[in-house]
Amino acid sequence: MNRFQCVADLQRRYGVQRLCSILGVSRSSFYYWRRTAADRAARQVTDAQLAARIRAVHQESDGTCGAPRITAELQETSGEAVSHKRDAGILRAFEVEGVRLRRRL
């Protein structure tokens, strides 16, 4: 469980200031977390949609494409500007890997 979520769940009973001091988080961080909850939820939805497209491109290439080639393919087909770092993060989160031809030392 997230410390901020714990504060949110118990704030009516014990108060934000007391819970934040016990859990070792600042009140401003808690209020920032609460204020940006909608943005995080929207980001998760778009990441899930992007992950579906990434999986489709990965399957078309028989599992050989990595983040740079998937990014190039997505930019060609949909025209959407997606960075290779975001693609790599989503690949890691959903445990999808490209084929490595060289041994890693």
Side-chain angles (χ1 to χ4, degrees):
M1 176 182 240
N2 188 345
R3 291 183 290 178
F4 296 124
Q5 186 62 48
C6 183
V7 173
D9 292 342
L10 299 173
Q11 73 180 359
R12 289 191 183 268
R13 182 181 281 174
Y14 299 107
V16 173
Q17 183 176 1
R18 184 175 187 188
L19 288 168
C20 286
S21 66
I22 290 170
L23 294 174
V25 297
S26 66
R27 283 187 296 157
S28 62
S29 296
F30 167 71
Y31 289 119
Y32 176 79
W33 173 83
R34 193 170 70 175
R35 187 176 67 242
T36 59
D39 296 337
R40 281 192 309 278
R43 179 73 172 210
Q44 287 178 345
V45 169
T46 57
D47 281 353
Q49 292 170 351
L50 185 59
R53 288 186 292 191
I54 287 173
R55 281 194 183 120
V57 171
H58 193 260
Q59 292 297 326
E60 288 174 10
S61 69
D62 296 325
T64 59
C65 282
R69 288 192 345 203
I70 288 175
T71 303
E73 183 68 28
L74 287 175
Q75 288 176 351
E76 284 179 16
T77 58
S78 67
E80 183 180 347
V82 179
S83 72
H84 69 280
K85 290 186 179 187
R86 184 171 181 197
D87 284 344
I90 291 173
L91 285 169
R92 247 182 275 113
F94 289 94
E95 298 177 355
V96 177
E97 289 185 357
V99 174
R100 293 186 187 107
L101 297 179
R102 290 181 243 144
R103 274 186 25 211
R104 294 189 81 162
L105 300 175

